Amino acid sequence: MILSVVIPTYNSQDTIIRAINSCLAYIDDIEIVIVDDGSKDLTTKLIENKYSHFIENGKIQLINANHGGAGNARNLGIENSKGEWIIFLDSDDEFLSLRTVLIDLNAFRQYSFDVLNYSINYNKKYGQRSYSIINGKALTWDNLGLNNESLKLWDSRPAYKAFRREFLIQHNIRFPLNIKVGEDLVFNQKCLQEDPNIIVKYGDIYRVIENKNSITHKIINQNILEDGVKLVQDVEKLNIKNELMNEFIAKNFISILVRFLKSVNSIDDIILSLKQYKKNFKVEKAFLTFYGLKQNLNVPIILVSWIVWKQPNMARVLFPPMKKVKY
């Protein structure tokens, strides 16, 4: 068996069948490892009823876990998978071409590599070249979200890439359990910090389908400050170059600002939270650092964020007009 497809689920009764069906044409060459994160709906019943044959013959593993989040579910998938390679699929999404992944994993067996990564931007940078072998640390800029979206080759989500299982096990690379926002980014950065050989090529293999009921859309009850601080602290532990870390702290501040704009938090609580974030982290040469993010973010939000960084009380004046803008 060459490839394990790991699918974390939680209350996914409306989407899980579509996700699984996007893999089934290749069931002879893969295993599907579904880890249910304590669903309260009919997710597991649907899987058991519709795919009982594949569960019985071991082509689909269905693991029931206590509710611990998507990261914990993916970790269980890594630990229980049997394939040489692991690829992740969110239960909201679907594969466009799992066949491409299987063909490429076989075609590249002659090379020593630990990650196969697909990017729709590959041809913009490398033209007609079929693929490139890139050292992992060279993709840190992309993973931290510091490169232009239209140019980056690596996505901070676990999608679009296949990982050699032995590589993940050997280096104890798992998703962090202490953060709710950005656990994918941290997992990927742990991989990149080991500086593996990564084969990068063009490929539109995966479709992300926005789900308004997913956890990424439910920010009202989340602790925006705590999420932002924990993410930066986890990234800091990975010994990333100072200049990149400096830019990441600034970009994360902008992300927090936008999340607050979408929240129902009072302006007094928001200002207090922004001040607390500043106490935790320092941005060197703040104006140049914030302005340096212009290749990936629009200038107005950058300038507003810099003003609020310098003087958090300005949020009282700037937030009302900013709330009218769609982010």
Side-chain angles (χ1 to χ4, degrees):
M1 184 181 302
I2 187 172
L3 182 64
S4 297
V5 179
V6 173
I7 308 177
T9 71
Y10 179 71
N11 290 348
S12 305
Q13 64 180 24
D14 295 330
T15 61
I16 187 61
I17 300 301
R18 179 182 62 207
I20 295 172
N21 284 349
S22 73
C23 308
L24 279 188
Y26 314 101
I27 196 66
D28 290 339
D29 301 307
I30 67 173
E31 71 162 351
I32 301 174
V33 183
I34 304 168
V35 184
D36 185 74
D37 189 41
S39 291
K40 307 295 184 184
D41 65 358
L42 298 175
T43 299
T44 56
K45 290 290 185 184
L46 284 173
I47 297 169
E48 289 168 346
N49 291 338
K50 189 171 181 62
Y51 304 107
S52 58
H53 171 69
F54 296 117
I55 293 173
E56 288 170 4
N57 67 18
K59 299 302 291 185
I60 292 180
Q61 288 191 60
L62 177 57
I63 300 168
N64 293 300
N66 294 325
H67 186 48
N72 180 62
R74 291 193 187 107
N75 288 343
L76 288 171
I78 293 171
E79 289 152 14
N80 286 276
S81 62
K82 299 181 179 69
E84 179 184 355
W85 294 89
I86 292 175
I87 194 167
F88 296 101
L89 172 63
D90 282 355
S91 58
D92 297 335
D93 303 336
E94 64 181 342
F95 283 117
L96 295 176
S97 182
L98 191 57
R99 177 176 181 271
T100 298
V101 180
L102 290 165
I103 290 173
D104 288 338
L105 287 175
N106 277 312
F108 291 127
R109 279 189 173 274
Q110 59 183 305
Y111 299 108
S112 175
F113 69 103
D114 292 301
V115 185
L116 172 61
N117 176 63
Y118 293 90
S119 171
I120 59 173
N121 297 327
Y122 180 83
N123 291 343
K124 295 178 184 178
K125 184 169 184 177
Y126 292 105
Q128 298 303 310
R129 285 175 59 178
S130 300
Y131 64 92
S132 298
I133 300 179
I134 298 175
N135 292 335
K137 288 185 178 180
L139 295 169
T140 294
W141 202 34
D142 287 7
N143 188 57
L144 297 182
L146 302 176
N147 201 357
N148 189 289
E149 286 291 325
S150 66
L151 298 175
K152 71 179 189 178
L153 300 175
W154 176 276
D155 192 278
S156 61
R157 288 172 289 197
Y160 308 103
K161 45 189 81 75
F163 301 89
R164 190 185 296 276
R165 183 178 183 274
E166 183 182 356
F167 168 75
L168 299 179
I169 298 298
Q170 177 185 353
H171 297 287
N172 195 29
I173 297 171
R174 301 290 191 278
F175 290 84
L177 303 181
N178 64 319
I179 58 177
K180 299 177 182 177
V181 176
E183 72 271 17
D184 300 345
L185 182 151
V186 174
F187 172 84
N188 278 327
Q189 194 57 46
K190 288 179 179 178
C191 292
L192 297 180
Q193 289 302 106
E194 298 297 334
D195 209 25
N197 287 332
I198 299 174
I199 290 183
V200 182
K201 63 170 296 191
Y202 176 84
D204 193 8
I205 65 160
Y206 190 102
R207 177 181 289 141
V208 175
I209 301 173
E210 292 297 329
N211 179 2
K212 292 182 179 179
N213 295 317
S214 70
I215 192 171
T216 55
H217 287 83
K218 296 179 179 179
I219 66 171
I220 291 177
N221 296 322
Q222 293 180 15
N223 190 322
I224 297 173
L225 173 67
E226 182 179 327
D227 290 344
V229 169
K230 284 185 176 179
L231 173 58
V232 175
Q233 288 175 338
D234 268 35
V235 174
E236 280 185 324
K237 295 175 184 176
L238 300 177
N239 298 317
I240 292 168
K241 291 181 180 179
N242 288 339
E243 58 268 28
L244 291 180
M245 198 66 230
N246 192 49
E247 288 187 22
F248 181 69
I249 292 170
K251 184 178 183 296
N252 191 54
F253 180 79
I254 295 174
S255 298
I256 289 172
L257 210 60
V258 171
R259 292 182 70 203
F260 273 129
L261 283 168
K262 295 179 179 180
S263 76
V264 294
N265 297 62
S266 72
I267 190 63
D268 289 331
D269 287 341
I270 290 171
I271 291 172
L272 179 60
S273 294
L274 296 175
K275 289 179 177 178
Q276 290 176 335
Y277 183 88
K278 280 192 65 176
K279 286 183 180 179
N280 278 278
F281 309 110
K282 179 182 179 182
V283 173
E284 299 174 358
K285 299 178 180 178
F287 177 76
L288 292 176
T289 298
F290 275 86
Y291 193 68
L293 298 171
K294 66 182 182 299
Q295 59 191 329
N296 197 30
L297 299 168
N298 65 64
V299 173
I301 188 65
I302 288 173
L303 292 178
V304 167
S305 300
W306 171 71
I307 292 170
V308 175
W309 173 267
K310 295 293 289 184
Q311 181 49 262
N313 286 322
M314 285 297 294
R316 198 178 303 278
V317 176
L318 295 171
F319 262 46
M322 289 176 70
K323 278 184 173 287
K324 299 177 182 179
V325 179
K326 184 177 180 180
Y327 296 94

